[in-house]
Amino acid sequence: MAQYLDDVSRTFSEYLLLPGYTGEDCVTDNVDVSTTITRYRGSEPEGLKLNIPLVSAVMQSVSDDRMAIALARQGGLSFIYGAQSIENQARMVKKVKDYKAGFVLSDSNISPEATMADAVALKKASGHSTMAVTEDGSAHGKLLGVVTSRDYRIGKMDPATRVREFMTPFDKLIYAREGVTLSQANDMIWDHKLNALPVINDSQQLVAFVFRKDYESHKDNPDELLDEKKRYMVGAGINSRDYKERVPALIEAGADILCIDSSEGFSVWQQKTIEWIRENYGDSVKVGAGNVVDGEGFRFLADSGADFVKVGIGGGSICITRETKGIGRGQASALIDVARARDEYFEKTGVYVPICSDGGIVYDYHMTLALAMGADFIMLGRYFARFDESPTDRLIINGQYVKEYWGEGSNRARNWQRYDMGGASKLSFEEGVDSYVPYAGPLKDNVEMTISKIKSTMCNCGVTSIRELQKNARLTVVSATSIVEGGAHDVIVKNNGNQNLG
C-alpha cells in the first residue's frame, strides 16, 4: 500500500519564533545576514556568498538584467530567466557584468553622421544620456567625441542636424588611457568635475567609461554584491533540454552561478544535466538544482553534484501545481525535513550543500522563519515582481497601481521546459496563473525595510548571524485561534487613507 507520513503538511503561518535572551551586543548594526550559496567542504573556505539572503526567481515577470543590477546593488542575486532564446539570455547576463566593472562597456554609441533625431531615439531606447561618438558607431570604435543631453535642444534645433556638428569633439575631451586604475579614474572625475570619463587605448579606440554615478552608487550601497573584478554578480536559469548549448553561452557571458529551473527536481533529467556540467567544467561552474520537498530528494541532488538545492513545490503565489496535480508539501514542513537531511549529509560526508527556500512567503516575517528553519537563502517571485525594476508593466486596475505577474507554467509564459517530464516539447496544461500584484515602488526602499525586519527579529531571538539563528532558534506551532490573536482584533482600525471628514 501507499506510504503515509505521520506529520501534518504545515505552512509558515502556522509557526512563531520564541524570543531569546538579547544581550548588549545584540543590536541590528551587529547582525550579519550574509550567507553561503554554494557547496563546500567543512575544512575549506566557504563558497559563493550573498550579502543578504535574497535571490529573485527564474521568471519572465521577475528577473531580467535591470532586476539583476538593482538586487546586486543591495547585496542579493537574480537568476535571469531562461524561457527565452539563448542569445537573449546571454545578452542580459553580459549587460549585468558590463554594467558595473567600475569600467563600463558603452552601450550607447552613435556615429558622427547620425542625426539629432537618432541621438534622441538612442537615449530613449537605452535610458542613458551619455553617448560615445565613434567612427563606426560601435562600442569599441575610434572615439571622435561625446554627446550628452546638454549638447542639443529639442524644439530649438533641426532634428536632421548631424551629430558631428554638436558633439563635444575628441580634442576637447578629458580622457584616460587603458591601464588607468579605478581609483585614478575616480580622482580624474572629481578633479575635473566630470560625470563620465572615457577610457581609450593607444589607437584612440574606446575601451570603457567610468561614471561618477557609479562611485556615488557604491557609497550609497555598501552591501553591493561584486565579483573579484568589481562587477555585479548575476545568476541564470537553465533547463534540462538545451543545456549543452545554453550553459556555454551563459558562462561565456559571465554568469556567476546557474540554477536548473524546474517544478520538480527529483529526476534523471536534472542528474544528467549536472553530470554533463561536471564532465565539461568540473567544479568551476556552480549550478543549483531542485525543487524537492523531502530528504530523499535532497540527497539525490546533493549526490548528483548540485551546489545548492531548492526546496518547495506548489507554494508559490501563482503556482497551481498542487491544485492541478496533487503534488507538493507545505513549505514549512518541506523546509524542516530538507534542512534536517542537509545537516545529516554534512555530518556524514563533510560536504555542506546550502538549501534555498522557494515559495510560501506571504509576509516579511516568513523570511525569518524560513531562515530559522534551515534555509540558507530565499528565492522570491511575487515579492520582487511588485517593484519598479521588475520587467512588467505598471497598470491602474480599479484605481490601484499594480504590476503584471505570471507563472512560468501559465499559458502566457509557456515555459514547457520547466515542467519537462521527458515527453513532447509542449505545455500540456497550465501549472501557473496570469495575475497582478500591488505595486510597491523602488526595490531599494522595500529590500532595506525587509532586511531591517529580519535583523530586528534576529536580535529578539538573541542571535547575530544566520548560522546562529539556525542553531539557536526556538519555534512553536500556533493554533488557528492564536493566529487571529496575532493580528489586530477587537478594535475598530482607523482608515489612514484620504477620508471625507465633513
Side-chain angles (χ1 to χ4, degrees):
M1 62 178 293
Q3 179 184 357
Y4 293 87
L5 300 184
D6 292 332
D7 64 317
V8 175
S9 182
R10 297 190 182 278
T11 67
F12 291 130
S13 291
E14 294 179 82
Y15 287 89
L16 285 176
L17 285 158
L18 298 180
Y21 171 71
T22 303
E24 290 184 356
D25 63 332
C26 201
V27 294
T28 55
D29 286 347
N30 292 338
V31 175
D32 178 10
V33 292
S34 65
T35 186
T36 301
I37 62 170
T38 56
R39 69 160 55 208
Y40 65 91
R41 288 196 170 272
S43 59
E44 299 173 349
E46 295 186 6
L48 291 181
K49 298 189 77 170
L50 303 176
N51 292 329
I52 62 172
L54 308 182
V55 300
S56 66
V58 191
M59 299 178 69
Q60 297 170 28
S61 57
V62 178
S63 297
D64 65 353
D65 52 291
R66 188 171 176 228
M67 174 62 70
I69 291 167
L71 184 50
R73 276 193 180 132
Q74 301 309 309
L77 183 88
S78 286
F79 285 93
I80 290 179
Y81 69 92
Q84 59 178 318
S85 72
I86 295 172
E87 294 74 20
N88 284 346
Q89 189 184 22
R91 191 177 301 116
M92 286 186 180
V93 169
K94 193 171 189 309
K95 279 185 178 180
V96 180
K97 301 308 290 186
D98 290 340
Y99 186 89
K100 179 68 176 183
F103 299 92
V104 180
L105 178 67
S106 177
D107 65 355
S108 296
N109 310 287
I110 199 166
S111 79
E113 299 307 312
T115 65
M116 187 190 83
D118 295 327
V120 172
L122 179 58
K123 178 186 175 184
K124 183 177 180 181
S126 69
H128 300 150
S129 60
T130 298
M131 288 165 266
V133 184
T134 59
E135 196 168 55
D136 59 359
S138 72
H140 293 298
K142 183 177 181 180
L143 184 64
L144 302 181
V146 169
V147 167
T148 72
S149 55
R150 294 189 299 270
D151 293 321
Y152 57 87
R153 294 183 67 186
I154 299 174
K156 298 291 185 179
M157 291 172 56
D158 184 351
T161 304
R162 300 291 180 184
V163 167
R164 55 181 160 76
E165 297 180 36
F166 59 84
M167 70 182 186
T168 300
F170 180 78
D171 58 7
K172 293 185 179 180
L173 291 177
I174 295 171
Y175 55 86
R177 293 280 182 182
E178 190 174 21
V180 65
T181 68
L182 185 58
S183 177
Q184 290 169 336
N186 281 322
D187 286 343
M188 292 180 68
I189 286 174
W190 284 96
D191 291 344
H192 296 282
K193 300 180 180 179
L194 305 175
N195 288 324
L197 177 72
V199 180
I200 62 170
N201 63 18
D202 292 337
S203 301
Q204 201 177 311
Q205 292 174 306
L206 180 64
V207 174
F209 274 104
V210 179
F211 292 98
R212 174 190 290 265
K213 63 180 177 62
D214 286 339
Y215 175 84
E216 294 173 343
S217 171
H218 181 65
K219 294 299 182 183
D220 291 338
N221 302 291
D223 291 327
E224 285 181 317
L225 190 66
L226 306 175
D227 64 17
E228 69 280 356
K229 296 180 180 179
K230 304 297 183 184
R231 303 176 299 180
Y232 284 137
M233 291 180 64
V234 60
I238 61 173
N239 60 68
S240 56
R241 282 277 184 156
D242 65 7
Y243 56 87
K244 293 180 182 179
E245 295 77 36
R246 191 174 293 269
V247 170
L250 295 174
I251 297 306
E252 176 68 22
D256 296 283
I257 186 168
L258 306 175
C259 177
I260 305 174
D261 180 37
S262 174
S263 64
E264 203 276 295
F266 195 177
S267 76
V268 65
W269 314 115
Q270 293 214 8
Q271 184 182 50
K272 287 178 178 290
T273 303
I274 297 170
E275 286 177 350
W276 183 88
I277 291 173
R278 294 290 172 250
E279 289 170 2
N280 288 273
Y281 295 95
D283 293 329
S284 64
V285 170
K286 306 302 180 184
V287 56
N291 289 18
V292 300
V293 294
D294 61 10
E296 189 177 2
F298 168 84
R299 286 185 290 272
F300 172 79
L301 291 176
D303 287 339
S304 297
D307 282 292
F308 69 84
V309 174
K310 279 203 299 168
V311 181
I313 294 177
S317 61
I318 41 69
C319 183
I320 55 173
T321 296
R322 297 180 194 173
E323 181 179 335
T324 58
K325 297 168 69 174
I327 293 286
R329 194 177 190 183
Q331 186 66 11
S333 295
L335 189 54
I336 292 168
D337 193 359
V338 174
R340 185 181 299 114
R342 186 264 323 273
D343 294 343
E344 291 172 352
Y345 192 86
F346 179 54
E347 291 178 8
K348 179 180 178 181
T349 67
V351 176
Y352 187 88
V353 181
I355 58 175
C356 170
S357 180
D358 178 18
I361 301 294
V362 180
Y363 306 108
D364 283 358
Y365 85 88
H366 287 171
M367 299 183 202
T368 318
L369 283 172
L371 296 171
M373 290 173 179
D376 295 282
F377 59 109
I378 303 160
M379 179 171 281
L380 301 156
R382 181 192 61 85
Y383 176 84
F384 287 114
R386 305 172 302 146
F387 302 150
D388 286 323
E389 294 82 358
S390 73
T392 63
D393 293 329
R394 188 179 70 170
L395 309 170
I396 297 180
I397 304 293
N398 296 327
Q400 179 185 10
Y401 279 111
V402 297
K403 294 209 73 176
E404 295 179 294
Y405 180 45
W406 60 90
E408 291 300 289
S410 67
N411 272 323
R412 180 169 184 174
R414 299 210 63 80
N415 182 7
W416 64 267
Q417 294 94 336
R418 189 176 198 273
Y419 303 87
D420 180 28
M421 299 296 289
S425 301
K426 65 179 182 178
L427 191 68
S428 300
F429 53 88
E430 288 188 289
E431 293 188 45
V433 300
D434 196 344
S435 63
Y436 303 110
V437 289
Y439 167 67
L443 178 145
K444 177 181 172 65
D445 296 345
N446 286 276
V447 168
E448 286 180 348
M449 177 65 74
T450 294
I451 296 299
S452 292
K453 291 178 182 178
I454 292 173
K455 288 183 175 181
S456 180
T457 305
M458 289 171 66
C459 287
N460 291 142
C461 294
V463 300
T464 56
S465 72
I466 291 174
R467 193 58 55 86
E468 286 182 6
L469 180 66
Q470 293 172 343
K471 180 180 178 181
N472 300 325
R474 298 183 300 157
L475 297 100
T476 181
V477 176
V478 296
S479 68
T481 304
S482 64
I483 291 175
V484 174
E485 179 187 60
H489 61 93
D490 301 323
V491 294
I492 300 173
V493 179
K494 294 180 180 179
N495 180 359
N496 292 321
N498 294 327
Q499 301 181 52
N500 182 358
L501 302 179

